[in-house]
Amino acid sequence: MTRRKMVAGNWKMHKTLAESVDLAGRVAEGLKDADLDVLVAPTALALAAVGTRLAGSMVLLAAQNIFWEEQGAYTGEVSAPLVRAAGASHVIIGHSERRQYFGESEKTAGLRVAAALAGGLVPILCVGETLAERQKDQTQGVLESQLAGALAGLAANDLGGLILAYEPVWAIGTGVNASAQQANEAHAFIRAWLDYRFDKEVANGTRILYGGSVKPANAAGLLNQSEVDGALVGGASLNAADFLGIIQAV
Ligand code: PGA
């Protein structure tokens, strides 16, 4: 099965509304007939305006997070129906920064995955080990418990096009990317786990992106690996030329 590649940009807490619309426009206009999926995830504040700017382009739109309730007295939160109404088709869930700074756990990531699926959004679930965990040879155990927790209770036909992102925490925003071999090994482990937990079709069909210091200069080496189906890009997605450079390397 050939899996369509994806390059996704996570803009994190960067860019004003005007800057977001400008960057989205540059990305959309810079893409020739790219034969892959391209996605951007602006702040919640810029989602609707970026969605309007991207209308008619091939660029997909994601939220960076959602709360699991649909609506109610949850000050400061946004829900799946709200981000969908703003134009998003995808949502990033369980990013390590959410785990590190905002108390995200396997359980809360699972609640968000379920809410995304119920709300018609494709979840992009992030998993990855810290440096200490890698050094203690715990990478596979960490990946397994993050995956098992966040996908608990789901069957193969519930997954709604689920996308996974392997993001070793030690590689995020550090300038130190995983080697192509380290990434491929981790992705192969995740794929084997999908086969064990669901079935062959899920294992072969699920896209697994690599994230962590992806730049135009290292993108080709990482993305040419057999198990790497694309990239989730932070810092380098904030500059249209760099982001387009990564897309061209696919
Ligand atoms: P980075 O971030 O590309 O800046 O390392 C990746 C991510 O957090 O998704």
Side-chain angles (χ1 to χ4, degrees), residues 64-156:
Q64 296 177 15
N65 184 35
I66 49 165
F67 186 51
W68 50 85
E69 296 293 344
E70 285 186 12
Q71 61 174 333
Y74 303 106
T75 301
E77 295 297 311
V78 294
S79 66
L82 294 183
V83 303
R84 215 175 124 85
S89 53
H90 292 63
V91 57
I92 299 170
I93 291 173
H95 190 281
S96 64
E97 288 151 14
R98 304 264 356 141
R99 297 177 195 264
Q100 186 179 351
Y101 304 122
F102 304 103
E104 185 85 282
S105 64
E106 272 100 63
K107 179 153 188 284
T108 57
L111 291 167
R112 292 182 219 277
V113 167
L117 292 168
L121 294 169
V122 178
I124 303 175
L125 173 66
C126 303
V127 295
E129 81 288 359
T130 63
L131 185 58
E133 289 161 346
R134 175 163 281 266
Q135 285 167 343
K136 283 187 264 166
D137 214 13
Q138 294 170 344
T139 299
Q140 295 190 348
V142 168
L143 295 178
E144 183 162 19
S145 74
Q146 290 177 344
L147 289 164
L151 302 178
L154 296 174

Side-chain angles (χ1 to χ4, degrees), residues 10 12 95-97 167 171-175 211-214 232-236:
N10 173 10
K12 306 190 181 180
H95 190 281
S96 64
E97 288 151 14
E167 298 211 313
I172 296 178
T174 58
S213 297
V214 178
L232 180 52
V233 185

Side-chain angles (χ1 to χ4, degrees), residues 13-85:
M13 199 173 71
H14 291 287
K15 307 280 179 194
T16 64
L17 185 56
E19 289 165 350
S20 299
V21 171
D22 178 66
L23 176 57
R26 285 172 200 266
V27 170
E29 277 158 27
L31 287 171
K32 312 260 150 48
D33 298 318
D35 186 18
L36 80 170
D37 286 338
V38 175
L39 174 148
V40 295
T43 66
L45 203 58
L47 262 185
V50 167
T52 302
R53 179 64 186 84
L54 293 175
S57 83
M58 63 168 284
V59 183
L60 301 164
L61 185 66
Q64 296 177 15
N65 184 35
I66 49 165
F67 186 51
W68 50 85
E69 296 293 344
E70 285 186 12
Q71 61 174 333
Y74 303 106
T75 301
E77 295 297 311
V78 294
S79 66
L82 294 183
V83 303
R84 215 175 124 85

Side-chain angles (χ1 to χ4, degrees), residues 176-217:
V176 182
N177 59 284
S179 70
Q181 193 194 338
Q182 285 171 323
N184 209 46
E185 273 171 21
H187 287 221
F189 172 79
I190 293 169
R191 211 174 289 293
W193 183 86
L194 288 171
D195 184 14
Y196 150 82
R197 168 67 175 77
F198 297 101
D199 58 34
K200 274 245 141 17
E201 208 176 307
V202 170
N204 290 335
T206 301
R207 288 183 286 184
I208 308 174
L209 314 181
Y210 166 78
S213 297
V214 178
K215 304 179 212 57

